Amino acid sequence: MYFAVNTPGMYVVVGIDEKPDRSWFIDDDGDSLSYTVTSSKSDVVDVMIGRESNTDLDGQLYTDTRILVTAKTLGTSVITLTANDGKGGIQSVTFDLQVIQS
């Protein structure tokens, strides 16, 4: 999982030491996970979960999950990323996301 910023002229600074990773959420039963993402300040950024399918060098199709970010104005928002296994297992992680001028 990674970020994709959709606003020319602005950059996003993420207040965590590593990029979002599937290993943040592990389901002990091997259930597939669905993701939701929210922004504490939708006037600063809009966020949503997106997917992109690609083909690797061996011709295998894979899908990446990403957080799509649309910056609206300079500022900071708390982002909450939640994983749900559909069977009662829910886990969240939060981090700061700062929009700065490019």
Side-chain angles (χ1 to χ4, degrees), residues 58-97:
D58 296 325
Q60 297 296 316
L61 183 66
Y62 67 94
T63 301
D64 281 332
T65 301
R66 60 174 66 188
I67 298 173
L68 302 174
V69 177
T70 302
K72 294 180 170 182
T73 188
L74 305 180
T76 302
S77 179
V78 176
I79 305 302
T80 302
L81 177 63
T82 302
N84 185 333
D85 71 357
K87 298 177 181 177
I90 299 172
Q91 184 68 41
S92 295
V93 62
T94 60
F95 50 89
D96 292 337
L97 189 142

Side-chain angles (χ1 to χ4, degrees), residues 37-49:
V37 64
T38 59
S39 168
S40 68
K41 294 184 180 175
S42 59
D43 59 323
V44 175
V45 292
D46 277 333
V47 291
M48 64 183 288
I49 296 295

